[in-house]
Amino acid sequence: MDASAEEQLWQQRFITPDGSAMTLSRWRGKPVLVNFWATWCPPCVRELPMLDAFSARQNQHGIQVIGLAVDKPEAVQRFLGRTPLRFPVALAVEGGLGLTRSLGNLQGGLPFTVLLGEDGMVQQRKIGELTTEDLASWSAKG
């Protein structure tokens, strides 16, 4: 992985489930945890409530959590209607898995999570379901 992968991520513009635009660059300069997930992925769905609670604890002074759904907009809208999340969620349908591969997810598996530091570079990455221990360790290093 090279620095251009992170730069590509920061320049991305995503559409949220309600149709508005979201750019990651608005959070540049602070730690950002980006979680790639899908409604059809059981480990993704299992870890979302934990990520939501983590996001709420981080609030304004910690790590910003962002969810990028590699899924159909209708499926994400239905899921969020049943399971609201307090962190921003956008759709990464076009090229989402390619983006994860450029960030080190060579198998293209989900869930895939990266922690970007204040410098905008990948500090941590994990393919597969996160644990509370992962989040505690990552936030302690932040």
Side-chain angles (χ1 to χ4, degrees):
M1 186 189 77
D2 57 52
S4 64
E6 283 105 341
E7 202 49 53
Q8 182 185 6
L9 179 64
W10 285 113
Q11 292 172 12
Q12 291 288 319
R13 188 169 174 268
F14 300 99
I15 301 299
T16 64
D18 68 7
S20 58
M22 182 180 89
T23 55
L24 291 188
S25 60
R26 68 188 266 197
W27 293 289
R28 197 162 192 165
K30 75 179 289 184
V32 177
L33 185 146
V34 181
N35 177 256
F36 292 87
W37 65 283
T39 61
W40 45 261
C41 163
C44 299
V45 171
R46 272 195 308 270
E47 75 181 4
L48 285 171
M50 178 186 62
L51 278 171
D52 190 53
F54 175 76
S55 173
R57 285 192 307 275
Q58 294 295 308
N59 203 346
Q60 299 298 315
H61 306 292
I63 298 169
Q64 174 65 53
V65 176
I66 308 290
L68 292 179
V70 184
D71 207 335
K72 293 185 173 82
E74 308 77 40
V76 174
Q77 289 167 339
R78 275 194 309 275
F79 177 85
L80 293 174
R82 292 188 311 269
T83 311
L85 299 171
R86 290 171 278 194
F87 56 85
V89 172
L91 303 165
V93 179
E94 295 298 317
L97 287 178
L99 187 56
T100 73
R101 284 188 180 91
S102 71
L103 292 166
N105 181 9
L106 301 182
Q107 296 84 19
L110 290 176
F112 176 66
T113 307
V114 293
L115 175 65
L116 301 159
E118 291 178 9
D119 63 357
M121 305 301 284
V122 172
Q123 307 293 311
Q124 302 285 337
R125 74 175 57 81
K126 181 169 183 178
I127 300 168
E129 192 171 347
L130 289 168
T131 65
T132 54
E133 292 79 16
D134 291 329
L135 293 176
S137 167
W138 292 11
S139 60
K141 293 175 184 162

